[in-house]
Amino acid sequence: MTRRKKMVERVTELMGTPERIRNIGIVAHIDHGKTTLSDNLLAGAGMISEEIAGKACWMDSDEEEQARGITIDSSNVSMVHSYDNQEYLINMIDTPGHVDFGGDVTRAMRAVDGAVVLVDAVEGTMPQTETVLRQALKEGVKPVLFVNKVDRLINELKVDEVEMQIRLGKVIDKVNKLIKGMNEEAYKNGWKLDAAKGTVAFGSALYNWAISVPYMKSSGITFKDIYEKCTTNDMKWLGKNSPLCEVVLDMVVRNLPNPLDAQKRRVPIIWQHGTPDTTEGKSMLACDPNGPACLMVTDISFDPHAGEVSTGRLFSGTLKRGTECYVMGTALKVNRLTQVGIFMGAERIEVESLPAGNIAAVTGLKDAIVGSTVSTLREMTPFESLKHYSEPVMTVAV
Ligand code: GDP
C-alpha cells in the first residue's frame, strides 16, 4: 500500500472517532509567524515534505497538483498526530492575521473548538492579537498559547537566561489579562493560561523547535539547555531533541477539547435561538452522527475540477454523496450533495460518508452562502449569524 493510501485510511478511520479529533485554528497578529508554524507542523506530521515547509508551498496550487487533480486549499489542512500511543486527527483552519480579514477569522472560529494563540516573544501582544482572541472567546473557542521567535530574544536582543524567563512570563501575563477582561468566567474555570499546566509552549517556528513544561519533564531538557543551544546557534539540536510539531501538537491534544466535549458547551453559544430539546438540538449537543445533519457553512471556494466547494462544521448527522439538504432562509429547494470530502494534509479527499464533529468540504449546495445553516431537516433554527468584533474603540478623556 502506498504511503498516501495508508494516510487516507488513517484519516478516514479517525474522522469517525470524535474523541480523537481536534478542530483548531492558529490566531495571531500579522508577521508573528503563523504561516511558518502551520507549514512546519504539517511537515513535522509528515503531511508535506520538510523541504517545502517554511516556503508556504502548500498555500499555492502549482501546475503539477492541478494536473493531478489535487486541490490545495489554503484555508484548511489536517494532520495525524500520535500522542501517548494513540493517533489524533487535527483539523486546522487558516485564519488571516491581517485586520482586513477580520471577517474570515470570525468564520474560522465558528468551525473550530480550540485556538493556538501565537505571539511574537519580542513584539508581545499586538492589537490584532486582542481582536482574534476576543473573537475566539466569543465563539466559545478555548485558547492555548505559543510564544514564538524565542530565538530572537536570545540572538538579537541578547537577553540573559533570567531576563528571557521574565519576558516570557510577561507575555503570558498579558494574554491572561486579556482573557480575564474578555471572559472572566472562562478564565476562572480553567482557561487561564499556565505554563506549569502545559497550556503554554515557547519556541521558534522558523527553526522548528519548541518547549513546554510537560515536555521538559518527559525529556529532561531544561530552560538552561534551550538558552545555551540558542546562544551557540545549535538549532539543529533543538529541532531534533525538542521538535516543534511534537511539543505544539501534544499541547493541542492534551488541552483543547474534542468535538464531543466542545459541542456541549458551544452549541448554546452559537445556536442561541434554538431549542435544546428538539431532535436537532439534542443531536448537536451530543455530536450525534445518527441525528439530522446540521452544518454551518464557513467558507466557499472555487475548485477548477469540482466547482464550488462549501466548507463548514458538521455539528450533527452524517453527510454522504446524494444527501438531500435544505439551506435555511432560502426557497427551501432540495440541494443534493454531489461530493463529500475532508482534508488530508492540504488536499481535499472524497469520502463515502462524513460524520458529525468534522470539518466538511462538500459540493452541490447551490443555495448556500458563507454563514448558511444547512440541514437535512426542512426547517431548523439557524445558527447565530457571524458577527465580527473589531478592535475596541479607544475613548479619549477630554
Ligand atoms: P504570518 O504573517 O504570521 O503568517 O508570519 P510568517 O510565518 O509569514 O512569518 C513572518 C516572518 O517572521 C518571516 O520572515 C518568518 O521567517 C519570520 N519568523 C517566523 N517564525 C520565526 C521564528 O521563530 N524566529 C525568527 N527569527 N523568525 C521567524
Side-chain angles (χ1 to χ4, degrees):
M1 197 189 282
T2 64
R3 196 178 153 276
R4 187 177 179 281
K5 265 200 170 148
K6 265 191 209 141
M7 190 56 87
V8 173
E9 266 191 6
R10 286 160 73 195
V11 169
T12 41
E13 194 192 320
L14 287 169
M15 88 191 172
T17 321
E19 294 85 350
R20 291 210 246 136
I21 297 175
R22 300 292 182 273
N23 296 312
I24 64 159
I26 302 176
V27 293
H29 187 81
I30 191 155
D31 274 347
H32 280 197
K34 187 165 61 65
T35 311
T36 313
L37 176 65
S38 319
D39 280 3
N40 280 333
L41 290 182
L42 265 183
M47 312 305 284
I48 55 170
S49 75
E50 305 261 348
E51 294 85 62
I52 65 169
K55 298 198 183 84
C57 282
W58 59 267
M59 301 192 66
D60 314 306
S61 44
D62 70 18
E63 275 167 28
E64 191 207 314
E65 282 147 358
Q66 293 207 356
R68 289 169 57 207
I70 298 174
T71 318
I72 302 293
D73 184 328
S74 66
S75 50
N76 303 282
V77 294
S78 68
M79 52 204 127
V80 175
H81 176 65
S82 290
Y83 172 72
D84 237 1
N85 294 321
Q86 287 211 307
E87 289 195 323
Y88 291 82
L89 178 64
I90 319 264
N91 297 315
M92 201 163 80
I93 305 268
D94 189 36
T95 56
H98 195 273
V99 67
D100 292 350
F101 298 109
D104 290 348
V105 177
T106 318
R107 303 168 185 184
M109 289 300 105
R110 180 61 56 89
V112 300
D113 303 316
V116 177
V117 179
L118 179 148
V119 179
D120 180 325
V122 176
E123 275 206 331
T125 59
M126 295 293 279
Q128 195 64 12
T129 317
E130 204 173 325
T131 312
V132 290
L133 186 58
R134 173 171 288 114
Q135 207 63 54
L137 297 178
K138 289 264 183 210
E139 291 285 333
V141 168
K142 187 181 181 204
V144 288
L145 175 65
F146 179 63
V147 186
N148 192 29
K149 305 197 188 183
V150 172
D151 59 293
R152 287 188 62 203
L153 275 184
I154 300 163
N155 293 332
E156 287 175 36
L157 301 194
K158 312 272 182 215
V159 301
D160 62 21
E161 201 191 316
V162 176
E163 175 70 13
M164 174 174 91
Q165 296 205 34
I166 293 173
R167 280 182 177 251
L168 296 176
K170 278 191 179 155
V171 175
I172 304 173
D173 289 348
K174 182 68 206 290
V175 179
N176 270 331
K177 226 173 155 184
L178 291 173
I179 297 175
K180 190 168 180 232
M182 291 167 187
N183 191 338
E184 192 160 357
E185 202 189 328
Y187 176 84
K188 283 188 186 149
N189 288 329
W191 286 22
K192 179 182 175 198
L193 300 167
D194 187 344
K197 290 192 176 143
T199 46
V200 181
F202 315 91
S204 168
L206 183 63
Y207 295 110
N208 234 331
W209 61 266
I211 193 76
S212 65
V213 173
Y215 195 81
M216 283 182 196
K217 283 185 185 150
S218 64
S219 66
I221 295 173
T222 61
F223 247 117
K224 197 174 168 50
D225 296 328
I226 298 283
Y227 185 80
E228 280 175 10
K229 295 291 176 191
C230 249
T231 348
T232 52
N233 219 2
D234 201 350
M235 298 296 174
K236 272 223 169 91
W237 187 93
L238 287 166
K240 188 159 174 278
N241 293 286
S242 212
L244 178 79
C245 177
E246 196 173 331
V247 173
V248 174
L249 295 185
D250 280 3
M251 172 168 76
V252 163
V253 166
R254 234 186 341 241
N255 298 291
L256 296 181
N258 66 47
L260 293 176
D261 292 336
Q263 287 188 203
K264 275 191 212 96
R265 185 173 42 74
R266 291 191 68 221
V267 167
I269 301 172
I270 61 175
W271 196 58
Q272 282 176 26
H273 293 86
T275 316
D277 56 5
T278 50
T279 319
E280 63 274 26
K282 283 188 228 158
S283 179
M284 286 198 287
L285 285 164
C287 189
D288 184 357
N290 301 313
C294 301
L295 171 82
M296 165 108 194
V297 177
T298 52
D299 187 39
I300 295 183
S301 58
F302 187 78
D303 175 327
H305 299 275
E308 226 172 61
V309 180
S310 307
T311 304
R313 171 68 177 264
L314 185 64
F315 289 96
S316 96
T318 297
L319 299 179
K320 292 185 173 153
R321 182 195 294 198
T323 298
E324 294 186 348
C325 297
Y326 299 91
V327 179
M328 300 307 125
T330 63
L332 291 185
K333 285 190 298 264
V334 171
N335 281 217
R336 200 183 307 272
L337 300 184
T338 45
Q339 270 186 19
V340 174
I342 55 153
F343 293 90
M344 184 188 77
E347 293 178 45
R348 184 167 51 82
I349 53 166
E350 226 186 311
V351 290
E352 289 273 313
S353 68
L354 184 117
N358 284 284
I359 311 287
V362 300
T363 57
L365 290 179
K366 300 187 294 290
D367 298 329
I369 56 168
V370 171
S372 288
T373 299
V374 177
S375 180
T376 43
L377 298 170
R378 268 177 172 273
E379 268 183 73
M380 82 170 258
T381 306
F383 293 103
E384 288 302 296
S385 56
L386 295 165
K387 288 190 211 88
H388 172 55
Y389 301 86
S390 54
E391 270 97 309
V393 180
M394 302 281 283
T395 43
V396 184
V398 283

